[in-house]
Amino acid sequence: SWVHGTTNEKIIGEWIYEFLKKNSNHAISKQPIGDGKFNIIAQNNNNIDTLVTGHMDTVQPNTGWTKNPVCPVIVENKLYGLGTTDMKSGLAIMLSLAINPKLKEGIMFLFYCDEEYDFLGMKKFIEEYKNKIKPKLIISLDGEGLQIGNSCRGLIEMKVSAEGKAGHAANPKSGINAITE
């Protein structure tokens, strides 16, 4: 479910959508992102106290794998495969929770796309839901180390353009410093 050419999270998204429709009593919807991609939102009522999130995409497989990254395999009680910890195990937990008949009211599940690339899924979700829900608790299952964190680091993307004129360090006046000028 990495994003490249004909590969992306559409197929896993369709599978999750159909699984939730068949196995849960939640209101299930697709939130279109563009290029046929979508977030999946499942909620058991409109008064959302808890938001549980997880992304459907992975990074592209790189070199250095000792096993086929797209054919998961268990070796010595360990699962090897692309996305097993980031983020397919978290998605499995979300699905297990979402179909639990004893789940409390007020929970929304967000399965979002494009986390590993441009955050288009989360950006679209925030754009649409920023004034619609006010959860008291947000749980991201995109964690590591089997630890509970009390906060989450964020990401700020900035595009900066600086202009100057190249010069030589021995003769600083030969250039224009892009930072101080």
Side-chain angles (χ1 to χ4, degrees):
S1 57
W2 64 90
V3 177
H4 177 71
T6 59
T7 333
N8 58 44
E9 59 273 272
K10 288 182 214 173
I11 293 171
I12 193 170
E14 288 293 346
W15 188 91
I16 290 170
Y17 180 81
E18 292 302 323
F19 177 86
L20 290 171
K21 284 290 229 185
K22 180 179 177 184
N23 296 293
S24 79
N25 293 321
H26 300 300
I28 315 294
S29 62
K30 292 180 183 178
Q31 182 187 38
I33 304 304
D35 290 331
K37 297 193 300 182
F38 52 89
N39 292 334
I40 301 159
I41 299 166
Q43 61 191 86
N44 57 13
N45 71 22
N46 290 325
N47 187 19
I48 306 303
D49 289 329
T50 304
L51 174 63
V52 183
T53 69
H55 62 90
M56 298 180 284
D57 61 327
T58 65
V59 296
Q60 288 186 21
N62 57 18
T63 59
W65 279 84
T66 58
K67 296 165 183 35
N68 184 339
V70 296
C71 293
V73 62
I74 297 173
V75 177
E76 295 181 12
N77 225 16
K78 293 180 183 176
L79 179 62
Y80 292 86
L82 184 64
T84 53
T85 59
D86 183 13
M87 157 94 222
K88 301 307 187 253
S89 56
L91 294 179
I93 292 167
M94 289 175 67
L95 291 170
S96 178
L97 290 170
I99 65 171
N100 184 337
K102 296 180 182 179
L103 191 66
K104 72 174 193 142
E105 292 290 312
I107 296 182
M108 175 184 278
F109 293 92
L110 169 63
F111 300 83
Y112 64 100
C113 61
D114 200 57
E115 189 268 354
E116 300 289 359
Y117 303 93
D118 293 323
F119 301 97
L120 297 177
M122 186 55 75
K123 288 175 183 176
K124 184 69 171 182
F125 177 78
I126 290 170
E127 178 186 311
E128 184 174 332
Y129 282 86
K130 66 182 173 186
N131 295 319
K132 291 182 181 178
I133 63 170
K134 301 267 188 238
K136 296 175 186 161
L137 179 63
I138 300 174
I139 301 171
S140 170
L141 293 174
D142 187 5
E144 62 181 64
L146 301 175
Q147 299 297 313
I148 295 175
N150 193 15
S151 62
C152 181
R153 66 178 170 80
L155 174 71
I156 298 174
E157 293 183 350
M158 297 174 20
K159 292 182 181 180
V160 177
S161 176
E163 294 183 22
K165 179 182 172 195
H168 193 276
N171 183 9
K173 300 232 184 250
S174 67
I176 299 173
N177 187 322
I179 297 171
T180 61
E181 299 294 325

